[in-house]
Structure formats: structure tokens, C-alpha cells
Amino acid sequence: MPRPGKSSYSDQKPPYSYISLTAMAIQNSSEKMLPLSDIYKFIMERFPYYRENTQRWQNSLRHNLSFNDCFIKIPRRPDQPGKGSFWALHPDCGDMFENGSFLRRRKRFKVLRAEHVSCKSAPMMHYFHQHHAGTKPPAHHEHAAVGSRLPHFQSYTQPAAFRHPFAIENLIGREYKGALPLSVMHHLGYPVPAQLSSMVNSMWPHVLSDPVPSAADYGPFGVSKSLYHSQGAPALPAVPVPIKATPGLGPVPGLSALPPGAQLCAPPGLDKSDLLESKSTALLKGAAPVETLRSDLTLTR
DNA sequence: GGATGTTTACCACTAT
DNA sequence: ATAGTGGTAAACATCC
């Protein structure tokens, strides 16, 4: 039995799906969004397994980004030249890994087509108006307290109890008043509370900003050893949870912060179309978003 | 031309 | 048994 930290371990395929790997990378970024190349980089830095056969897994990863609604594409701003768009997590994707497995989600996050229709009021449109309609982003004092703007976002983006699946409080069961649009907000120049940043940085054990620490400090799959033996600390998912429950290795505490069956998506009575649009790229990149809306209307009527 | 992004198809595996 | 999910391959389009 190889000991934690040995290469025989870290060279193994990590027990994470591409979805969770990608989510880790995104959540580890300061702006909660990353270009594809940086997602690659993140994964390769932390998981030696993915330093080989790059063509194969990167194709799979791109497939996942496009195929899964839990990932949204955010166009670069004009002052952010570079290849490709930024990728972020959909704020409404809920707790995809509430079953405690990072290999297999309980349910695939899927956005209703109809959502594309009425996203004019969604944050993404907010983004659009700011950057494509020539409107100036609000002055800092207008939203210096994110909370002053956030409730507005929350009112139509997610229920009050919304927790991002990869937010630290989903992993350790803490409460915080925030929402993913923070990432987009930050992209737009909104301040992201240091509290949130630090929480996210501590969220995934092997996502710590310090890349490639000494092997001695790490266990299997690059997981920090110290997290294997956390004492009194919140129960982080130090040990990757297998698909099948292993005796003594139950679901990650805190991951199932919500009661069984609880939905993190649209609450009853709230029209999902009022939530943030998912694959919003079409609206963001087109010079004529109305046309996009029309085509969606045509499709959904 | 290479990187990025989308889509389809197939298969293996798991949950229900 | 069936449906759902994830991984992989591949073709194709678009962008830089």
C-alpha cells in the first residue's frame, strides 16, 4: 500500500470528474472565472496524472464545458485581450455534488431553454448593458457594500438560501450572504469581499493558491496532508469520496448542508426564467441580443 | 495553424 | 431494466 505523497499515488487518476476539476480551478481563481488555458494549467499543476495524454483529457474537458449548463462562458472585456472566453460556474447550478461524490453528480444541472427568453433583467444582461450599450458601470460607492447591490441580484437570481455548490459554506456548512454573481460582478469591477475570497481559497484542499508544494506536504491526489488530520477544524473534504460509500468514509460533512431533496435551483413559485440566464454567451457576444432573444422565442413558443 | 468551442455518438458505469 | 451521468473520440466551426 503506497503511502500518501508517493508518486505512485499522485500519478493515479484523481477521483474527480472533469466537472469537479474544472469547478475547482474556477473557484480557485480570484475572479471566479478562468480562460480555458488556465483551467488546463491548474489541473496539470496539481494533478500529475493530467500531465500526460493532454490531448485526450483536454478534449473531454472542453466537451464538458460546452455540454454542461453548469458552466457559463463570459466574453473577455475589450481591455482583456487573449484567446478564448472566461469560464465561470453557473450561479444556479445548485449543489451538484450533494451526494458527496466528486465523480458523479446526483443530478445534471440543466437550464430550461425558456430561461433564455426572459433574461433581459438578469445580471448577464446587466453586464451586457454595461459593456455593449455604453453605459458606465456604477460608481464604487453605489455598491461598495456588495450587499447593497446583492439583494437586488438575489431577488431574481437565486433564493435567499442559495449556496454555490463549490462555495466553502457548501463544504463546511457555513452560512454566508453571497452569490456567484460576485464573480461576474468582480469582472465588472464590483468588489469581492475579502471574506469570500479567503473562504474560497480554503475551500478545496488542493486548490490552495500555492501551486506544487513539496510532496511531503501532500497526500494522495495532491491533497494536503494536514487536511487529512484536521483537528477541530471544519470537516473539509480532505479525502476524496468514492462513488460508493466506503465504510468510514461517508459523505463529506457539510457537503450535504441542505436537507435531502432540497433544491438549490428555483424555489417553488419563482419562475426560473427570472433566474440568471445560463448559456448567456449568445446574449453577451452578439451586437444584437434582441435577435438572439427572438430566435429563442421562436424556438420556445 | 493552433487554440478554442460546439456537437454528436458511443460506451461503461451507476442510481433508481 | 432503464435512465442518467461521465469519459472519450471525432468532426466541424470559429477565433486569434
Side-chain angles (χ1 to χ4, degrees):
Chain A
M1 185 75 174
R3 301 230 310 268
K6 288 213 151 193
S7 60
S8 55
Y9 252 134
S10 54
D11 287 345
Q12 285 179 0
K13 185 171 186 173
Y16 300 110
S17 66
Y18 290 122
I19 293 175
S20 48
L21 285 171
T22 306
M24 285 180 209
I26 292 172
Q27 278 294 352
N28 185 55
S29 66
S30 57
E31 299 198 354
K32 305 299 161 271
M33 58 183 183
L34 281 179
L36 184 63
S37 58
D38 284 354
I39 298 176
Y40 292 158
K41 218 180 298 173
F42 174 92
I43 294 174
M44 284 192 287
E45 274 179 355
R46 283 152 180 88
F47 302 100
Y49 174 85
Y50 290 111
R51 291 171 192 164
E52 293 172 0
N53 300 316
T54 53
Q55 206 163 9
R56 183 165 62 177
W57 70 262
Q58 288 179 353
N59 180 27
S60 297
L61 193 141
R62 288 195 305 274
H63 159 77
N64 272 281
L65 283 170
S66 292
F67 183 71
N68 291 291
D69 285 347
C70 58
F71 298 114
I72 56 176
K73 215 170 65 177
I74 300 173
R76 287 177 184 270
R77 292 200 313 249
D79 62 322
Q80 295 174 311
K83 262 199 156 184
S85 309
F86 288 98
W87 288 95
L89 287 163
H90 193 293
D92 192 31
C93 59
D95 191 349
M96 295 186 294
F97 299 90
E98 70 177 319
N99 60 349
S101 169
F102 295 102
L103 268 174
R104 198 177 173 86
R105 290 174 295 177
R106 185 183 184 84
K107 194 177 174 74
R108 175 178 282 164
F109 173 68
K110 212 69 191 166
V111 175
L112 296 177
R113 186 69 180 161
E115 275 190 61
H116 294 247
V117 177
S118 55
C119 53
K120 287 181 194 171
S121 61
M124 286 303 187
M125 285 307 291
H126 180 72
Y127 175 99
F128 174 83
H129 288 308
Q130 283 188 1
H131 292 271
H132 298 265
T135 56
K136 196 172 127 242
H140 187 274
H141 71 269
E142 291 179 56
H143 52 74
V146 172
S148 68
R149 170 74 62 163
L150 202 51
H152 176 56
F153 274 75
Q154 284 180 328
S155 66
Y156 54 76
T157 54
Q158 46 247 302
F162 172 82
R163 289 191 178 109
H164 195 271
F166 299 99
I168 186 68
E169 70 281 2
N170 248 354
L171 300 171
I172 64 177
R174 272 174 53 181
E175 190 74 42
Y176 96 108
K177 293 187 168 64
L180 183 70
L182 283 170
S183 63
V184 178
M185 291 160 72
H186 187 71
H187 183 56
L188 303 174
Y190 289 75
V192 173
Q195 178 198 13
L196 178 57
S197 302
S198 62
M199 283 196 294
V200 170
N201 285 338
S202 62
M203 174 172 70
W204 295 88
H206 38 357
V207 189
L208 304 175
S209 304
D210 202 8
V212 198
S214 81
D217 294 332
Y218 269 59
F221 311 112
V223 176
S224 171
K225 269 183 176 177
S226 63
L227 290 165
Y228 277 81
H229 311 289
S230 60
Q231 292 171 340
L236 288 163
V239 181
V241 180
I243 294 178
K244 275 203 162 160
T246 306
L249 263 188
V252 177
L255 256 177
S256 306
L258 293 179
Q263 287 294 325
L264 283 167
C265 298
L270 174 60
D271 187 351
K272 273 183 75 72
S273 65
D274 289 334
L275 299 174
L276 174 60
E277 198 256 348
S278 66
K279 295 291 186 183
S280 52
T281 315
L283 288 166
L284 293 171
K285 68 179 172 192
V290 176
E291 300 309 313
T292 311
L293 290 172
R294 279 204 195 116
S295 64
D296 275 341
L297 280 168
T298 307
L299 287 169
T300 53
R301 238 186 298 218

PDB file of all heavy atoms in Angstrom, chain A residues 1 5-6 29 47 49 66 83 140 144 146 175 240 259 280 288:
ATOM      1  N   MET A   1       0.862  -1.204   0.000  1.00  0.00           N
ATOM      2  CA  MET A   1       0.000   0.000   0.000  1.00  0.00           C
ATOM      3  C   MET A   1       0.889   1.241   0.000  1.00  0.00           C
ATOM      4  O   MET A   1       1.633   1.489   0.953  1.00  0.00           O
ATOM      5  CB  MET A   1      -0.883  -0.004   1.253  1.00  0.00           C
ATOM      6  CG  MET A   1      -1.900   1.131   1.302  1.00  0.00           C
ATOM      7  SD  MET A   1      -3.294   0.905   0.218  1.00  0.00           S
ATOM      8  CE  MET A   1      -4.301   2.300   0.703  1.00  0.00           C
ATOM      9  N   GLY A   5       1.450  10.723  -0.634  1.00  0.00           N
ATOM     10  CA  GLY A   5       2.545  11.583  -1.019  1.00  0.00           C
ATOM     11  C   GLY A   5       3.473  10.929  -2.016  1.00  0.00           C
ATOM     12  O   GLY A   5       4.253  11.571  -2.689  1.00  0.00           O
ATOM     13  N   LYS A   6       3.376   9.623  -2.093  1.00  0.00           N
ATOM     14  CA  LYS A   6       4.208   8.926  -3.059  1.00  0.00           C
ATOM     15  C   LYS A   6       3.694   9.174  -4.459  1.00  0.00           C
ATOM     16  O   LYS A   6       2.512   9.335  -4.694  1.00  0.00           O
ATOM     17  CB  LYS A   6       4.203   7.430  -2.747  1.00  0.00           C
ATOM     18  CG  LYS A   6       4.996   7.092  -1.477  1.00  0.00           C
ATOM     19  CD  LYS A   6       5.630   5.742  -1.622  1.00  0.00           C
ATOM     20  CE  LYS A   6       6.912   5.619  -0.823  1.00  0.00           C
ATOM     21  NZ  LYS A   6       7.696   4.458  -1.167  1.00  0.00           N
ATOM     22  N   SER A  29      -9.741  30.607  -8.670  1.00  0.00           N
ATOM     23  CA  SER A  29      -9.280  31.858  -9.270  1.00  0.00           C
ATOM     24  C   SER A  29      -9.839  33.038  -8.498  1.00  0.00           C
ATOM     25  O   SER A  29     -10.912  32.966  -7.902  1.00  0.00           O
ATOM     26  CB  SER A  29      -9.727  31.925 -10.731  1.00  0.00           C
ATOM     27  OG  SER A  29     -11.128  32.013 -10.790  1.00  0.00           O
ATOM     28  N   PHE A  47      -2.361  17.996 -10.515  1.00  0.00           N
ATOM     29  CA  PHE A  47      -2.578  16.571 -10.724  1.00  0.00           C
ATOM     30  C   PHE A  47      -1.628  16.050 -11.805  1.00  0.00           C
ATOM     31  O   PHE A  47      -1.913  16.180 -12.998  1.00  0.00           O
ATOM     32  CB  PHE A  47      -4.031  16.306 -11.118  1.00  0.00           C
ATOM     33  CG  PHE A  47      -5.023  16.808 -10.097  1.00  0.00           C
ATOM     34  CD1 PHE A  47      -5.690  18.003 -10.283  1.00  0.00           C
ATOM     35  CD2 PHE A  47      -5.263  16.079  -8.941  1.00  0.00           C
ATOM     36  CE1 PHE A  47      -6.608  18.464  -9.347  1.00  0.00           C
ATOM     37  CE2 PHE A  47      -6.170  16.542  -8.003  1.00  0.00           C
ATOM     38  CZ  PHE A  47      -6.843  17.733  -8.197  1.00  0.00           C
ATOM     39  N   TYR A  49      -1.207  13.354 -12.971  1.00  0.00           N
ATOM     40  CA  TYR A  49      -1.850  12.421 -13.911  1.00  0.00           C
ATOM     41  C   TYR A  49      -2.198  13.120 -15.215  1.00  0.00           C
ATOM     42  O   TYR A  49      -2.135  12.539 -16.297  1.00  0.00           O
ATOM     43  CB  TYR A  49      -3.116  11.851 -13.265  1.00  0.00           C
ATOM     44  CG  TYR A  49      -3.946  10.980 -14.186  1.00  0.00           C
ATOM     45  CD1 TYR A  49      -3.656   9.629 -14.336  1.00  0.00           C
ATOM     46  CD2 TYR A  49      -5.013  11.521 -14.906  1.00  0.00           C
ATOM     47  CE1 TYR A  49      -4.414   8.825 -15.179  1.00  0.00           C
ATOM     48  CE2 TYR A  49      -5.774  10.731 -15.757  1.00  0.00           C
ATOM     49  CZ  TYR A  49      -5.471   9.395 -15.886  1.00  0.00           C
ATOM     50  OH  TYR A  49      -6.227   8.607 -16.729  1.00  0.00           O
ATOM     51  N   SER A  66     -18.683  22.879 -22.669  1.00  0.00           N
ATOM     52  CA  SER A  66     -19.746  23.230 -23.610  1.00  0.00           C
ATOM     53  C   SER A  66     -21.045  22.511 -23.304  1.00  0.00           C
ATOM     54  O   SER A  66     -22.128  23.074 -23.419  1.00  0.00           O
ATOM     55  CB  SER A  66     -19.317  22.890 -25.040  1.00  0.00           C
ATOM     56  OG  SER A  66     -18.284  23.728 -25.439  1.00  0.00           O
ATOM     57  N   LYS A  83      -6.887  34.783 -25.831  1.00  0.00           N
ATOM     58  CA  LYS A  83      -7.641  33.772 -26.579  1.00  0.00           C
ATOM     59  C   LYS A  83      -8.765  33.194 -25.747  1.00  0.00           C
ATOM     60  O   LYS A  83      -8.620  32.937 -24.562  1.00  0.00           O
ATOM     61  CB  LYS A  83      -6.700  32.654 -27.005  1.00  0.00           C
ATOM     62  CG  LYS A  83      -6.218  32.793 -28.433  1.00  0.00           C
ATOM     63  CD  LYS A  83      -5.695  31.482 -28.949  1.00  0.00           C
ATOM     64  CE  LYS A  83      -5.763  31.445 -30.469  1.00  0.00           C
ATOM     65  NZ  LYS A  83      -5.344  30.159 -31.015  1.00  0.00           N
ATOM     66  N   HIS A 140     -18.240  53.216  -7.531  1.00  0.00           N
ATOM     67  CA  HIS A 140     -17.941  52.286  -6.454  1.00  0.00           C
ATOM     68  C   HIS A 140     -18.868  52.491  -5.265  1.00  0.00           C
ATOM     69  O   HIS A 140     -19.357  51.530  -4.679  1.00  0.00           O
ATOM     70  CB  HIS A 140     -16.489  52.472  -6.028  1.00  0.00           C
ATOM     71  CG  HIS A 140     -16.037  51.439  -5.042  1.00  0.00           C
ATOM     72  ND1 HIS A 140     -16.231  51.561  -3.697  1.00  0.00           N
ATOM     73  CD2 HIS A 140     -15.439  50.239  -5.226  1.00  0.00           C
ATOM     74  CE1 HIS A 140     -15.736  50.506  -3.080  1.00  0.00           C
ATOM     75  NE2 HIS A 140     -15.249  49.690  -3.985  1.00  0.00           N
ATOM     76  N   ALA A 144     -20.508  49.798  -3.040  1.00  0.00           N
ATOM     77  CA  ALA A 144     -19.318  49.472  -2.271  1.00  0.00           C
ATOM     78  C   ALA A 144     -19.607  48.334  -1.321  1.00  0.00           C
ATOM     79  O   ALA A 144     -18.850  47.380  -1.212  1.00  0.00           O
ATOM     80  CB  ALA A 144     -18.835  50.690  -1.497  1.00  0.00           C
ATOM     81  N   VAL A 146     -21.250  45.297  -1.158  1.00  0.00           N
ATOM     82  CA  VAL A 146     -21.844  44.407  -2.145  1.00  0.00           C
ATOM     83  C   VAL A 146     -23.288  44.152  -1.787  1.00  0.00           C
ATOM     84  O   VAL A 146     -24.136  43.993  -2.644  1.00  0.00           O
ATOM     85  CB  VAL A 146     -21.054  43.084  -2.210  1.00  0.00           C
ATOM     86  CG1 VAL A 146     -21.770  42.092  -3.074  1.00  0.00           C
ATOM     87  CG2 VAL A 146     -19.653  43.361  -2.750  1.00  0.00           C
ATOM     88  N   GLU A 175     -22.748  29.523   6.810  1.00  0.00           N
ATOM     89  CA  GLU A 175     -23.699  30.440   6.189  1.00  0.00           C
ATOM     90  C   GLU A 175     -22.951  31.659   5.691  1.00  0.00           C
ATOM     91  O   GLU A 175     -22.031  32.151   6.296  1.00  0.00           O
ATOM     92  CB  GLU A 175     -24.717  30.882   7.239  1.00  0.00           C
ATOM     93  CG  GLU A 175     -25.883  31.645   6.662  1.00  0.00           C
ATOM     94  CD  GLU A 175     -26.843  30.747   5.920  1.00  0.00           C
ATOM     95  OE1 GLU A 175     -27.114  29.653   6.421  1.00  0.00           O
ATOM     96  OE2 GLU A 175     -27.309  31.143   4.860  1.00  0.00           O
ATOM     97  N   PRO A 240     -10.881  12.429  -0.902  1.00  0.00           N
ATOM     98  CA  PRO A 240     -11.855  12.301  -1.980  1.00  0.00           C
ATOM     99  C   PRO A 240     -12.833  11.193  -1.695  1.00  0.00           C
ATOM    100  O   PRO A 240     -12.441  10.111  -1.254  1.00  0.00           O
ATOM    101  CB  PRO A 240     -10.986  11.955  -3.183  1.00  0.00           C
ATOM    102  CG  PRO A 240      -9.628  12.457  -2.827  1.00  0.00           C
ATOM    103  CD  PRO A 240      -9.522  12.336  -1.329  1.00  0.00           C
ATOM    104  N   PRO A 259     -31.083  19.863   3.397  1.00  0.00           N
ATOM    105  CA  PRO A 259     -31.806  18.633   3.685  1.00  0.00           C
ATOM    106  C   PRO A 259     -31.998  17.831   2.423  1.00  0.00           C
ATOM    107  O   PRO A 259     -32.023  18.391   1.332  1.00  0.00           O
ATOM    108  CB  PRO A 259     -33.140  19.145   4.243  1.00  0.00           C
ATOM    109  CG  PRO A 259     -33.253  20.548   3.782  1.00  0.00           C
ATOM    110  CD  PRO A 259     -31.860  21.052   3.656  1.00  0.00           C
ATOM    111  N   SER A 280     -25.227  32.235 -21.483  1.00  0.00           N
ATOM    112  CA  SER A 280     -25.590  33.604 -21.821  1.00  0.00           C
ATOM    113  C   SER A 280     -24.722  34.182 -22.902  1.00  0.00           C
ATOM    114  O   SER A 280     -24.895  35.310 -23.305  1.00  0.00           O
ATOM    115  CB  SER A 280     -25.468  34.466 -20.587  1.00  0.00           C
ATOM    116  OG  SER A 280     -24.183  34.276 -20.035  1.00  0.00           O
ATOM    117  N   ALA A 288     -26.446  42.265 -31.451  1.00  0.00           N
ATOM    118  CA  ALA A 288     -27.898  42.419 -31.495  1.00  0.00           C
ATOM    119  C   ALA A 288     -28.551  41.338 -30.659  1.00  0.00           C
ATOM    120  O   ALA A 288     -29.080  40.366 -31.162  1.00  0.00           O
ATOM    121  CB  ALA A 288     -28.391  42.337 -32.942  1.00  0.00           C
TER     122      ALA A 288
END
